[in-house]
């Protein structure tokens, strides 16, 4: 149990385009999903916390208009990187926690490369 | 907010020896402390966790200890094996979210 999927696993896009990343909890309901960014050989940096049916809470320094988060159901959250630039290239990982829990289960991550 | 410090950043041990990774946290309201193992290019995997009402937890070769007064917790791996080589992250927080340490690159020398 507690399986989280993420799609796509890799994406290459041109500068100025938008990219959508999906995060799904496959076998449990997740009231809360989290989006992280990870640079090579660095730790996980929380970008935003996403609660089903409400607006995401963004960490300081993360532009909400650039990183659009939608948590439409208890099993799906999406992150859209709008007008992507090369500096947005990174490994984006989501996690999800059960409706009553605090343990976070991670998706496999999405490697974004912006040319 | 919470601040989690993790040491060391790199740890090299002989196969069969024990490894200890230490973390400190700042927010006394934090009540949940998981440890994750991440292999290169893969997702972090939860290996053990502890809650603030417990001082120690063990699962086979892995154990975690928590000192609430001093606000520090540690991961202990005994009888290390080559497959233990990875980056290990501690985290502190609760249902509202986790703050991660910077990670420890554990290298198991044959």
């Amino acid at each position: 149990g507690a399986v989280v999927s993420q799609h796509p696993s890799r994406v290459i896009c041109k500068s100025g385009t938008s990219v959508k990343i999906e995060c799904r909890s496959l076998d449990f309901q997740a009231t809360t999903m989290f989006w992280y960014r990870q640079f090579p050989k660095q730790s996980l940096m929380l970008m935003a916390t996403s609660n089903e049916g409400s607006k995401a809470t963004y960490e300081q320094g993360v532009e909400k208009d650039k990183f659009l988060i939608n948590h439409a159901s208890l099993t799906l959250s999406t992150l859209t990187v709008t007008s992507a630039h090369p500096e947005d290239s990174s490994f984006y990982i989501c996690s999800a926690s059960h409706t009553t829990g605090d343990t976070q289960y991670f998706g496999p991550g999405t490697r974004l490369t912006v040319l | 907010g919470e601040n989690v410090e993790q040491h060391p950043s790199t740890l090299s041990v002989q196969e069969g020896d024990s490894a200890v990774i230490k973390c400190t946290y700042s927010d006394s309201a934090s009540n949940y402390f998981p440890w994750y193992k991440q292999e290169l290019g893969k997702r972090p995997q939860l290996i053990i966790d502890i809650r603030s009402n417990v001082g120690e937890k063990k699962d086979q070769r892995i154990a975690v200890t928590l000192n609430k007064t001093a606000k520090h917790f540690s991961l202990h791996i005994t009888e290390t094996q080559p497959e233990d080589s990875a980056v290990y992250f501690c985290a502190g927080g609760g249902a509202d979210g986790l703050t991660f340490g910077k990670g420890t690159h554990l290298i198991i020398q044959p």
Side-chain angles (χ1 to χ4, degrees), chain A residues 2-3 24-33 52 71 73-76 96-101 103 105:
Chain A
V3 179
R24 293 181 185 272
S25 55
L26 298 185
D27 54 0
F28 66 101
Q29 292 187 326
T31 304
T32 307
M33 288 185 172
E52 185 262 340
H71 194 157
S73 74
L74 285 172
T75 59
L76 173 64
S97 58
H98 290 96
T99 52
T100 58
T103 303
Y105 300 95

Side-chain angles (χ1 to χ4, degrees), chain A residues 4 38 43 102-104 106, chain B residues 32 36 38 43 51 100-101:
Chain A
V4 178
Q38 187 175 35
S43 188
D102 45 22
T103 303
Q104 292 184 29
F106 283 86
Chain B
Y32 176 61
Y36 289 87
Q38 187 178 28
R43 78 182 83 193
R51 289 185 167 77
F100 284 80

